[in-house]
């Protein structure tokens, strides 16, 4: 019996871009970074209960800077107000979708400035994912490795979170669904974070694992259901096609 060939979880142009871009990142940052540790949302890497205190935030930023090879002392960290929930949510059941930027990167007097939306402090996975993205800007734009006006600048920065071993957080935060209540009413909120889709994160992580010689990565168990499914599909595709 002939089994059908494993299908890639992303479109052909997305597959080609992911593979080319991971190769480019490897050339830029080297095999030491490629084979570096993968941080997981676990007590092994982030012990203790997160309360969002100032000291915890600073410790997290310092940890992530060290992990991606960025100089914490040269980076200014700022927070911005996230704005109120949609007004109707306080009166009627409402489904809301959020797509606003969770963070920003710019330079002030030649020094990198990372701005984070303050409500992310209550969502540690999204906070780590956003910090990872902005620190990717520090390495790519701050070090003049990439052009800010390039069409794929933001997706490339998301992909850099995978290459730097922080892709689990980015993939898990890519699509967030929550059931919320206000007064007597319940409503749902769906928010997207980042520029890559869940299938793209899944295949990016699969290709990353394949480059590292991990046909069945242990860290995959920390992925949410959707990106983990796409990762496994991507690994099956790579095993059949390489």
């Amino acid at each position: 019996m002939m089994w059908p060939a494993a299908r890639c979880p992303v479109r052909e142009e997305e597959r080609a871009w992911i593979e080319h871009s991971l190769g480019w990142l490897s050339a830029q940052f080297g095999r030491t970074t490629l084979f570096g540790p993968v941080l997981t949302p676990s007590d092994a890497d982030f012990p203790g209960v997160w309360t969002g205190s100032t000291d915890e935030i600073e410790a997290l930023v310092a940890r992530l800077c060290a992990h991606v090879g960025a100089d914490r002392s040269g980076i200014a960290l700022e927070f911005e107000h996230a704005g109120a929930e949609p007004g109707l949510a306080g009166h009627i059941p409402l489904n809301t979708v959020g797509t606003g930027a969770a963070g920003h990167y710019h330079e002030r007097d030649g020094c990198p400035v990372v701005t984070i939306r303050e409500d992310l402090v209550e969502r540690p996975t999204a906070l780590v994912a956003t910090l990872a993205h902005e620190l990717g800007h520090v390495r790519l734009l701050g070090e003049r490795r990439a052009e800010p006006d390039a069409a794929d600048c933001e997706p490339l920065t998301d992909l850099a979170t995978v290459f730097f071993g922080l892709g689990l957080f980015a993939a898990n935060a890519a699509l967030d669904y929550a059931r919320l209540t206000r007064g007597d009413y319940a409503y749902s909120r769906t928010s997207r974070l980042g520029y890559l889709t869940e299938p793209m994160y899944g295949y990016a992580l699969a290709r990353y694992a394949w480059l590292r010689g991990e046909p069945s990565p242990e860290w995959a168990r920390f992925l949410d259901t959707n990106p983990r499914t796409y990762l496994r599909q991507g690994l099956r595709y790579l095993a059949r096609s390489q």
Side-chain angles (χ1 to χ4, degrees):
M1 179 180 294
M2 295 296 294
W3 293 99
R7 295 182 59 186
C8 185
V10 297
R11 295 176 299 174
E12 175 59 23
E13 58 268 30
E14 293 170 338
R15 180 202 62 77
W17 177 83
I18 288 170
E19 293 183 2
H20 170 79
S21 298
L22 282 175
W24 182 86
L25 288 165
S26 185
Q28 288 290 314
F29 297 106
R31 291 175 59 83
T32 299
T33 302
L34 172 63
F35 288 95
V38 176
L39 295 191
T40 64
S42 67
D43 286 339
D45 292 318
F46 296 96
V49 177
W50 175 262
T51 66
S53 69
T54 301
D55 289 344
E56 287 177 331
I57 294 170
E58 178 52 43
L60 173 62
V61 174
R63 172 74 187 281
L64 295 179
C65 283
H67 185 78
V68 304
D71 179 11
R72 172 67 185 98
S73 65
I75 302 171
L77 178 66
E78 300 176 349
F79 287 86
E80 67 179 7
H81 183 56
E85 291 283 352
L88 288 177
H91 306 286
I92 61 174
L94 184 70
N95 294 333
T96 64
V97 178
T99 58
H104 305 279
Y105 169 88
H106 68 278
E107 295 182 9
R108 181 188 300 143
D109 299 326
C111 296
V113 180
V114 170
T115 303
I116 301 296
R117 215 173 60 204
E118 64 182 4
D119 65 312
L120 294 182
V121 173
E122 300 175 358
R123 298 159 54 200
T125 297
L127 177 61
V128 173
T130 303
L131 286 169
H133 179 91
E134 302 309 326
L135 291 177
H137 278 319
V138 172
R139 296 301 314 270
L140 292 172
L141 300 182
E143 297 176 10
R144 307 299 186 262
R145 298 175 185 270
E147 295 295 330
D149 296 330
D152 68 344
C153 178
E154 294 294 350
L156 178 65
T157 308
D158 269 355
L159 191 62
T161 68
V162 173
F163 187 80
F164 282 114
L166 295 169
L168 300 182
F169 295 90
N172 286 347
L175 186 64
D176 179 53
Y177 174 82
R179 288 290 295 173
L180 307 172
T181 58
R182 175 171 293 188
D184 296 330
Y185 300 102
Y187 65 100
S188 64
R189 180 183 67 193
T190 302
S191 58
R192 285 195 58 187
L193 188 69
Y195 297 83
L196 301 185
T197 63
E198 287 183 314
M200 291 179 74
Y201 271 120
Y203 186 68
L205 286 163
R207 183 68 179 181
Y208 171 72
W210 190 260
L211 292 172
R212 289 161 55 95
E214 296 177 292
S216 181
E218 188 276 337
W219 43 259
R221 63 190 177 94
F222 293 101
L223 282 168
D224 289 346
T225 300
N226 284 353
R228 185 170 68 250
T229 298
Y230 295 125
L231 163 69
R232 289 173 175 170
Q233 184 180 348
L235 286 171
R236 289 195 298 271
Y237 166 80
L238 288 166
R240 294 281 187 93
S241 62
Q242 299 299 308

